[in-house]
Amino acid sequence: MENTIQAVPQNWYLLLSTFMFCIGVMGVLLRRNAIIILMCIELMLNSVNLLLVSYSSYAGNADGQVFVFFIMVVAAAEVAVGLALLVSIYRNIASTDIDMLSRMKW
């Protein structure tokens, strides 16, 4: 019985992952809202996760899936710290616009 992930050609995973990563990069570069930027970073991390899972499935070992676990842990920590900082900043300046956050420089 063929693996479910291997039922789809590997090039399709590569194309989907590239498309998701490009959307994430464009969101980080073009958007001004800090929450949306965090979501775009998550999208980039998930595109890498998709690619790692597909490659590890086709290769027949679980190394890529272990990396996915670590990436998910780092992403969860990043979101927790980032959202805590954004809530604190929003309480002080009532905005999540990154142009307003540039005033926090020395």
Side-chain angles (χ1 to χ4, degrees), residues 64-106:
Q65 295 169 7
V66 172
F67 282 123
V68 167
F69 176 73
F70 287 118
I71 289 172
M72 290 174 73
V73 169
V74 169
E78 173 242 334
V79 167
V81 171
L83 286 179
L85 287 172
L86 283 177
V87 167
S88 175
I89 290 169
Y90 186 79
R91 286 183 181 168
N92 289 327
I93 63 172
S95 177
T96 57
D97 188 10
I98 59 170
D99 290 332
M100 299 278 291
L101 300 179
S102 66
R103 295 181 187 166
M104 295 175 61
K105 294 179 183 175
W106 290 94

Side-chain angles (χ1 to χ4, degrees), residues 40-58:
C40 290
I41 291 171
E42 292 292 322
L43 187 63
M44 288 190 289
L45 291 173
N46 283 329
S47 71
V48 172
N49 287 343
L50 175 66
L51 202 58
L52 284 173
V53 167
S54 69
Y55 278 135
S56 71
S57 176
Y58 276 96

Side-chain angles (χ1 to χ4, degrees), residues 6-61:
Q6 293 177 354
V8 178
Q10 194 170 16
N11 290 337
W12 291 61
Y13 288 112
L14 183 61
L15 287 174
L16 179 63
S17 177
T18 303
F19 184 68
M20 287 172 49
F21 193 84
C22 289
I23 290 173
V25 168
M26 295 304 287
V28 168
L29 293 177
L30 298 178
R31 299 303 298 253
R32 304 275 51 134
N33 191 335
I35 294 173
I36 293 176
I37 291 173
L38 280 177
M39 290 186 338
C40 290
I41 291 171
E42 292 292 322
L43 187 63
M44 288 190 289
L45 291 173
N46 283 329
S47 71
V48 172
N49 287 343
L50 175 66
L51 202 58
L52 284 173
V53 167
S54 69
Y55 278 135
S56 71
S57 176
Y58 276 96
N61 61 12

